[in-house]
Amino acid sequence: MTNAAVHMEGQLHAPAHGAVATAAVHAKGQQHPIKLYLVVWGWLFVLSTCSYLVDYFGLHGYLRWSLILLFMVLKAGLIVAVFMHMAWERLALTYAILLPPIAVMVFVTIMVLESEYTHLLRVMFFAVPS
């Protein structure tokens, strides 16, 4: 066998071992400790209990909706960060996913403020009852 044939034969068998080794290292690098998931499940349970207690104690008005929305956003953030692995993604991907909802919330807030302004004008100038 020539030197080139031995080199080619070695390359034919190497990818199989390399692929297995790469897959084993890749699988090991992707695993997270079970403690992390148990802690997140515990926090999700606590936040769900707090959300239930808001109704149990009979809170009403803005306090009720603020607490429910706060607990909802915290639970969604935990789920996205840990179970959807966003905590380990690149910053650019995180921005690509998080910035559009933040922009929507800003624009909705602007629309709510603007709607109050136009409502006030209707009442003042057109005598439309509230």
Side-chain angles (χ1 to χ4, degrees), residues 39-83:
V39 168
V40 170
W41 286 333
W43 275 109
L44 288 173
F45 178 78
V46 167
L47 291 170
S48 295
T49 303
C50 291
S51 183
Y52 171 76
L53 289 175
V54 168
D55 284 335
Y56 182 78
F57 289 128
L59 299 175
H60 295 288
Y62 287 123
L63 178 63
R64 172 191 174 158
W65 290 110
S66 299
L67 288 173
I68 288 175
L69 288 174
L70 174 73
F71 295 139
M72 177 190 69
V73 167
L74 289 174
K75 289 190 296 186
L78 277 172
I79 290 168
V80 168
V82 177
F83 294 116

Side-chain angles (χ1 to χ4, degrees), residues 1 12 14-15 17 22 25-26 39 41 43-44 61 65 71 73 91 94 98-100 109 113 116 119 124 126-127:
M1 238 183 224
L12 290 176
H17 290 51
T22 303
V25 169
H26 203 346
V39 168
W41 286 333
W43 275 109
L44 288 173
W65 290 110
F71 295 139
V73 167
L91 193 58
T94 304
L98 293 180
L99 283 183
T109 303
L113 295 175
E116 292 296 322
H119 177 63
M124 285 175 37
F126 300 114

Side-chain angles (χ1 to χ4, degrees), residues 1 4-14:
M1 238 183 224
V6 171
H7 182 69
M8 289 296 288
E9 192 173 314
Q11 284 183 345
L12 290 176
H13 297 295

Side-chain angles (χ1 to χ4, degrees), residues 79-128:
I79 290 168
V80 168
V82 177
F83 294 116
M84 296 177 72
H85 304 286
M86 281 299 294
W88 299 281
E89 292 295 336
R90 292 185 178 167
L91 193 58
L93 182 61
T94 304
Y95 285 154
I97 291 174
L98 293 180
L99 283 183
I102 291 171
V104 167
M105 288 177 16
V106 167
F107 290 132
V108 166
T109 303
I110 291 171
M111 287 188 293
V112 166
L113 295 175
E114 187 68 21
S115 71
E116 292 296 322
Y117 169 72
T118 57
H119 177 63
L120 179 64
L121 285 178
R122 279 190 216 139
V123 170
M124 285 175 37
F125 291 111
F126 300 114
V128 176

